[in-house]
């Protein structure tokens, strides 16, 4: 952003935009030739397979492969597609887990110091908390 503002004040914006247009044109031409390259490679593969096993069999195999790729991509879109609410919930779970992990690690020296002083009480407290959390999660999952 600041680069463009500096170019405006220096009077070089026209030169910069012209260079960007030339680069965009060159990249577009390169993309067209890349697509043509891919098309010719696929055609060469088809011709080779057709020479080996026959044109009809090669066409059936090529169409079957294309159908398989389409089905795979369709299934992938079904799996990946999630509602925005689900994405927000997943992000919230990750954030809570991250904060909980950081808190636990930062309090670890205090927990060890407390465990040395009062061994039984210090060891039972986290155990009770973990069991209580497990029960709470179990009851929460039954509601869904």
């Amino acid at each position: 952003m600041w680069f463009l503002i500096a170019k405006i004040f220096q009077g070089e914006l026209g030169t910069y935009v012209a260079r960007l247009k030339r680069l965009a044109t060159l990249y577009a031409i390169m993309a067209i030739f890349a697509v043509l390259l891919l098309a010719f490679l696929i055609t060469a593969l088809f011709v080779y397979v057709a020479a080996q096993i026959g044109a009809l069999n090669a066409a059936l195999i090529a169409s079957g492969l294309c159908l398989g790729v389409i089905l795979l991509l369709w299934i992938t879109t079904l799996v990946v597609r999630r509602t925005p609410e689900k994405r927000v919930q997943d992000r919230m779970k990750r954030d809570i887990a991250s904060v909980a992990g950081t808190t636990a690690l930062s309090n670890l020296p205090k927990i060890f110091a407390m465990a040395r002083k009062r061994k039984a009480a210090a060891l039972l407290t986290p155990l009770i908390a973990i069991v209580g959390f497990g029960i709470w999660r179990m009851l929460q999952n039954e509601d869904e």
Side-chain angles (χ1 to χ4, degrees):
M1 179 69 182
W2 295 110
F3 178 74
L4 289 177
I5 293 172
K7 289 289 184 186
I8 290 172
F9 285 127
Q10 292 173 358
E12 299 176 3
L13 186 63
T15 306
Y16 182 70
V17 170
R19 189 171 65 205
L20 282 179
K21 285 182 182 178
R22 281 193 304 268
L23 280 175
T25 303
L26 287 175
Y27 283 138
I29 292 170
M30 286 171 49
I32 290 170
F33 277 104
V35 169
L36 287 173
L37 172 78
L38 186 63
F40 281 120
L41 283 174
I42 291 172
T43 304
L45 178 66
F46 180 79
V47 169
Y48 176 76
V49 172
Q52 298 297 319
I53 61 172
L56 180 62
N57 290 336
L60 289 173
I61 289 172
S63 62
L65 286 174
C66 289
L67 178 64
V69 169
I70 289 171
L71 288 175
L72 183 69
L73 290 173
W74 179 63
I75 290 170
T76 304
T77 57
L78 291 178
V79 170
V80 171
R81 184 176 42 195
R82 295 182 300 169
T83 62
E85 294 83 18
K86 182 69 174 164
R87 277 184 259 151
V88 168
Q89 287 176 354
D90 290 345
R91 191 176 311 122
M92 183 69 78
K93 287 179 184 178
R94 284 193 310 267
D95 291 345
I96 289 172
S98 174
V99 169
T102 304
T103 304
L105 286 176
S106 65
N107 289 325
L108 206 57
K110 291 179 185 178
I111 293 172
F112 284 143
M114 191 173 67
R116 275 185 251 141
K117 292 179 185 175
R118 295 179 263 143
K119 291 184 181 181
L123 293 176
L124 285 177
T125 304
L127 183 65
I128 293 171
I130 291 171
V131 170
F133 180 73
I135 292 171
W136 176 71
R137 289 289 293 186
M138 184 180 65
L139 293 175
Q140 188 180 22
N141 286 339
E142 286 180 3
D143 292 341
E144 294 175 2

